[in-house]
Amino acid sequence: MIVYILKRLAVAIPTLLVLIIVSYMLMHFAPGNPFSSERAVSPEIMKNLDAKYGLNLPLWEQIVHYLWQVVAHFDFGPSFVYKDRTVNDIIAQGFPVTLTYGFLSFIAAVAVGVGLGITSAIRRNSWLDYCAVGLSIGAQVLPNFVMAPILVLIFTLGLHWLPGGGWSFHDPRFWILPVIALSTSYMASITRITRSSMLDVLGSNHIRTARAKGLPNRKVILRHALKPALVPVVSYLGPAFVSMITGSVIVDVYFSTGGIGKSFVDSALNRDYAVMMGVTILLGTLTILFNLVVDILYAWIDPKIRY
């Protein structure tokens, strides 16, 4: 297992380097520049700006300088739009917020989705199964950009129970609506995957053997059926967690949480290439990391898997 982890980390490093180089080149070849605006800038001023940010250097030299800055010093450089802030400052301010409600959404989606899926499979064709399937279908057809305004209309403007915007690490009331809006569609997918996988496992030979030996149904489910049924669910969880982080733009916009999703969109609209590169590298790192975690969990869930 240790050798496998080291091999995956060895592959992750060149993958990140390729991601940085390709992203930098795509932004360099995009039309316009970070200083384009409705008001024309004189050639002298543009020349000084390019010299200040190193944009007048050859492309390969810009890439080498940026790689050294990121890898050696973990410094993403200054923002092209916000003159008094660096990319590290923007990420440090927005990412903890996004990580907090993204992680809470992940926990809620997994807990509810796996619970509903297992219950639905065990009570197949019962009213509980129909309710769980209907709930997952309803949640699936309501994406977060539809769910968010509905939640604000009901719980903020209608019932006046919860705040409809803002963020506070110390007041859980600000967490509830963003978590619900972000987790519902993922919860629906996890429910469907868990139900389908559990039904397949419950019909397998080793489950029939366990029941033929007279084991209680609770022990059959928890000790013999649960782990094999979770293998496809775990495959979905790695990309799902990263998607909750990258898909937080709608939550940031509707609830004004101040997360990193809105900063990423604003950087694209404002052509703030430094912020775009910083967030892209961060999300790429998270994707590689959680895919590695998922692969490691396979061996714990299914003992037949060996690396």
Side-chain angles (χ1 to χ4, degrees):
M1 178 66 72
I2 300 299
V3 175
Y4 172 77
I5 294 174
L6 293 177
K7 288 182 178 179
R8 286 295 300 270
L9 290 176
V11 174
I13 294 175
T15 302
L16 279 175
L17 293 178
V18 172
L19 172 67
I20 296 173
I21 294 173
V22 173
S23 300
Y24 197 98
M25 293 178 65
L26 290 175
M27 293 181 190
H28 178 82
F29 292 125
N33 60 70
F35 312 110
S36 298
S37 62
E38 296 180 359
R39 182 180 178 181
V41 180
S42 65
E44 291 78 12
I45 295 178
M46 184 64 68
K47 183 178 180 180
N48 292 333
L49 289 173
D50 289 342
K52 177 180 179 181
Y53 292 101
L55 301 178
N56 59 337
L57 300 174
L59 179 59
W60 69 268
E61 194 171 342
Q62 294 182 40
I63 294 175
V64 171
H65 176 74
Y66 186 78
L67 286 174
W68 174 256
Q69 195 174 354
V70 171
V71 175
H73 306 286
F74 200 70
D75 181 11
F76 296 109
S79 169
F80 290 164
V81 175
Y82 304 102
K83 307 303 180 184
D84 57 341
R85 303 182 67 189
T86 65
V87 179
N88 293 54
D89 295 334
I90 295 174
I91 293 177
Q93 178 181 352
F95 185 64
V97 176
T98 301
L99 184 63
T100 300
Y101 69 71
F103 180 75
L104 293 175
S105 302
F106 179 77
I107 296 298
V110 172
V112 177
V114 171
L116 282 179
I118 293 175
T119 304
S120 178
I122 295 174
R123 306 295 183 184
R124 186 180 183 183
N125 295 328
S126 66
W127 66 270
L128 193 60
D129 182 23
Y130 296 142
C131 290
V133 173
L135 180 62
S136 63
I137 293 175
Q140 189 74 52
V141 300
L142 286 176
N144 53 11
F145 60 85
V146 176
M147 183 68 71
I150 292 177
L151 293 174
V152 173
L153 287 173
I154 295 175
F155 294 101
T156 302
L157 301 180
L159 300 175
H160 304 286
W161 287 357
L162 299 169
W167 180 262
S168 173
F169 285 102
H170 308 290
D171 191 348
R173 294 183 304 160
F174 289 91
W175 309 350
I176 297 176
L177 295 187
V179 168
I180 295 176
L182 188 58
S183 63
T184 47
S185 59
Y186 295 98
M187 177 270 293
S189 299
I190 294 173
T191 300
R192 291 188 295 105
I193 295 172
T194 305
R195 180 182 183 274
S196 177
S197 179
M198 180 61 75
L199 287 175
D200 290 340
V201 173
L202 290 178
S204 58
N205 292 330
H206 75 280
I207 297 298
R208 296 194 193 97
T209 302
R211 285 175 172 168
K213 291 181 178 179
L215 293 178
N217 190 53
R218 178 185 179 88
K219 185 175 289 187
V220 171
I221 298 299
L222 294 179
R223 296 189 60 180
H224 299 280
L226 183 58
K227 279 189 176 183
L230 288 180
V231 172
V233 180
V234 171
S235 301
Y236 175 79
L237 294 184
F241 181 80
V242 180
S243 298
M244 289 185 189
I245 303 300
T246 58
S248 63
V249 178
I250 301 299
V251 174
D252 289 335
V253 170
Y254 275 103
F255 298 108
S256 302
T257 58
I260 200 172
K262 190 173 185 303
S263 299
F264 188 57
V265 174
D266 289 343
S267 66
L269 296 176
N270 297 328
R271 296 172 177 169
D272 194 347
Y273 298 155
V275 176
M276 292 179 64
M277 285 296 302
V279 178
T280 300
I281 295 170
L282 176 63
L283 298 181
T285 303
L286 288 176
T287 302
I288 294 173
L289 174 63
F290 280 95
N291 283 333
L292 174 61
V293 172
V294 166
D295 288 343
I296 295 173
L297 287 176
Y298 282 156
W300 175 76
I301 292 175
D302 189 355
K304 294 183 296 183
I305 295 177
R306 291 291 179 266
Y307 297 106

